Amino acid sequence: MVNLSFMKDKAQYIDLLNETHTWPVEYLFKFISKKEFLDQVLDLFPLEEIKTNKSKNGNYISFSMKKVVHSAEEVLEIYEMIQTIKGVISL
């Protein structure tokens, strides 16, 4: 789970991403939300191919999206965008 709150600041998370990735890279983003947020998530990334998978009871949906990103800052921007939707958890 990507929980930015465990980092003291964004710079620390950016440093970690830069240590583990060579830019540009195809980065895998994963999110989980209740099914009622499906359209909001898809609307944030209209040009991206997003794979979805419903939970056993159909109450939750997982989202997987591969996107070529050019920097750690771009990764953070995407996580910040998804956090604008309440109820979405970044993995």
Side-chain angles (χ1 to χ4, degrees):
M1 174 184 287
V2 175
N3 181 356
L4 299 181
S5 64
F6 79 94
M7 296 287 183
K8 291 184 179 181
D9 58 16
K10 288 183 183 180
Q12 192 176 9
Y13 193 67
I14 288 170
D15 288 345
L16 180 62
L17 284 170
N18 284 329
E19 289 173 14
T20 57
H21 294 82
T22 302
W23 312 105
V25 68
E26 185 175 59
Y27 193 90
L28 177 61
F29 294 90
K30 289 189 167 198
F31 314 106
I32 295 176
S33 78
K34 290 190 173 188
K35 64 182 177 182
E36 61 260 24
F37 300 113
L38 172 65
D39 290 337
Q40 289 177 317
V41 172
L42 296 178
D43 287 347
L44 275 180
F45 308 104
L47 302 177
E48 304 300 330
E49 180 181 340
I50 299 177
K51 294 181 182 180
T52 60
N53 190 22
K54 291 182 182 177
S55 66
K56 182 179 177 180
N57 293 328
N59 296 325
Y60 294 90
I61 297 178
S62 66
F63 305 88
S64 297
M65 174 181 76
K66 289 184 179 178
K67 179 173 176 53
V68 175
V69 291
H70 297 88
S71 68
E73 292 82 5
E74 188 175 352
V75 171
L76 285 180
E77 287 172 11
I78 292 170
Y79 280 123
E80 288 170 352
M81 283 175 34
I82 201 71
Q83 289 176 352
T84 64
I85 303 172
K86 290 187 178 184
V88 175
I89 301 168
S90 300
L91 302 175

